[in-house]
Amino acid sequence: MKVRNMEINKILVVDDEPEIREALIIYLKSNDVDVFTASNGLEALEILEHETIHLIIMDIMMPQLDGIKTTFKIREDKNIPIIMLSAKSEDSDKILGLNVGADDYITKPFNPLELVARVRSQLRRFTNLGSFHSIGEEIIQVKGLVLNKSSKTVEVDGADVRLTAKEYKILELLMENKGRVFSIEEIYERVWNEPVFASENTVAVHVRNIREKIEINPKDPKYLKVVWGIGYKIEKK
C-alpha cells in the first residue's frame, strides 16, 4: 500500500498488525511524506529493491521474517535510518535491535506524536549525512583510518567500512577531536541530540559495532580506545 504526497521523503512501515500500519499512515501522512507499508520482512525487502526509502519503522515480532533478521539483511548494503517497534520493554530486545543496526527504538504502545518527532529527527540527520556540499573534501586520518566528511565515507587500510548513521556520527565526533575523551553522556547528547536517557547501553553497543568494523582486533583496539570510568577517545597517532 502506498500513500502519495508531494515531498520526496519516503517512509516504509513494516508491521504485521493492520491497525498499526493504518494508524501510522494517518500520522505520517499529515507530515507530508510518502508512506509504503509491508506486513513482514520479506515484503519490506522486496519494496527496498524497487524504491528509494529514506526511513524504516520496523516491528520486531513478525511472521516469515522478523524485524531483527530483516534489519540485519538491510544493513548488508544500506544505511537507511531504522526505528524499531516492539511490544516488549526489556533491555535485551533494545540492545539486540541496536546491535544489528537499528538507529532508534520505541516500545508499544507508543505516543504517535513522539514517534513522529523521532521520525523527523532521523530524517533530518539522514538528509544531512547524505547531502553533498561544494566545499571540497574534508579528510580526517589516523594511521590507516580515514574519514571523509564530504562523502560521509570511512576507510580502513584502503577498504570501505559501512557504518550506520549513528555509528558514523560517533566516529566523526571522536575523530574531529582526536585525543579528547568523551563521556558516554556527551556522546549521547551530541549524536542523538536529546537529553541523556538510558544512554550507557545504547552508546556502548554502537561503539562495540564501530570497533568490530574498524579494528583488526576489537579486543585490543588500535583506534577507538576506552578510558575506564570516563569514556571513549580516538588516538591522536
Side-chain angles (χ1 to χ4, degrees):
M1 178 180 181
K2 182 181 178 185
V3 178
R4 291 191 174 275
N5 295 293
M6 297 301 292
E7 299 295 330
I8 61 171
N9 286 329
K10 298 179 181 179
I11 296 176
L12 174 59
V13 175
V14 190
D15 197 301
D16 62 329
E17 298 182 49
E19 296 82 3
I20 295 290
R21 298 198 301 270
E22 293 301 321
L24 288 178
I25 286 173
I26 294 171
Y27 283 104
L28 294 170
K29 181 180 178 182
S30 66
N31 285 272
D32 297 321
V33 298
D34 279 2
V35 182
F36 295 75
T37 64
S39 61
N40 58 64
L42 293 177
E43 291 181 7
L45 293 176
E46 184 176 353
I47 291 173
L48 288 169
E49 288 182 3
H50 303 97
E51 297 288 344
T52 299
I53 299 296
H54 301 98
L55 181 139
I56 301 172
I57 299 174
M58 179 87 67
D59 188 30
I60 289 183
M61 300 299 293
M62 295 183 294
Q64 298 188 52
L65 192 65
D66 64 35
I68 298 295
K69 293 177 181 177
T70 305
T71 298
F72 186 80
K73 183 68 176 175
I74 291 170
R75 283 290 177 253
E76 290 180 358
D77 59 2
K78 291 182 176 61
N79 196 30
I80 307 166
I82 298 175
I83 300 176
M84 281 201 153
L85 301 178
S86 175
K88 299 180 180 179
S89 59
E90 290 85 352
D91 283 343
S92 59
D93 294 299
K94 180 176 182 179
I95 292 171
L96 182 58
L98 294 172
N99 227 349
V100 298
D103 296 282
D104 203 351
Y105 185 102
I106 194 165
T107 304
K108 297 178 182 178
F110 53 84
N111 182 330
L113 296 180
E114 178 186 356
L115 179 59
V116 169
R118 295 194 186 198
V119 166
R120 285 177 173 173
S121 177
Q122 291 294 334
L123 282 174
R124 184 166 58 248
R125 293 191 186 106
F126 183 65
T127 300
N128 290 338
L129 283 173
S131 61
F132 294 89
H133 307 279
S134 56
I135 57 175
E137 293 186 341
E138 298 181 58
I139 305 296
I140 308 175
Q141 182 168 1
V142 178
K143 300 179 183 176
L145 177 62
V146 180
L147 184 145
N148 187 321
K149 294 180 63 178
S150 295
S151 60
K152 306 301 180 186
T153 56
V154 175
E155 294 182 0
V156 176
D157 298 329
D160 291 335
V161 176
R162 294 184 179 277
L163 299 177
T164 67
K166 286 292 197 309
E167 291 166 2
Y168 176 88
K169 292 297 288 183
I170 291 172
L171 186 61
E172 182 183 54
L173 171 66
L174 296 178
M175 290 189 70
E176 284 182 327
N177 299 274
K178 290 178 287 186
R180 175 182 168 183
V181 180
F182 283 85
S183 69
I184 289 174
E185 291 76 13
E186 283 181 291
I187 293 173
Y188 189 91
E189 288 179 350
R190 291 203 182 203
V191 173
W192 275 259
N193 196 29
E194 62 186 30
V196 176
F197 176 73
S199 62
E200 185 171 352
N201 284 339
T202 301
V203 173
V205 167
H206 281 77
V207 168
R208 184 167 67 246
N209 289 342
I210 296 170
R211 276 180 166 172
E212 291 289 341
K213 295 175 181 181
I214 70 172
E215 303 284 0
I216 295 176
N217 181 5
K219 294 183 179 180
D220 184 21
K222 179 180 179 181
Y223 302 110
L224 210 172
K225 302 281 190 176
V226 60
V227 181
W228 295 107
I230 303 177
Y232 301 100
K233 71 174 182 176
I234 288 287
E235 293 284 37
K236 287 186 175 181
K237 299 180 180 180

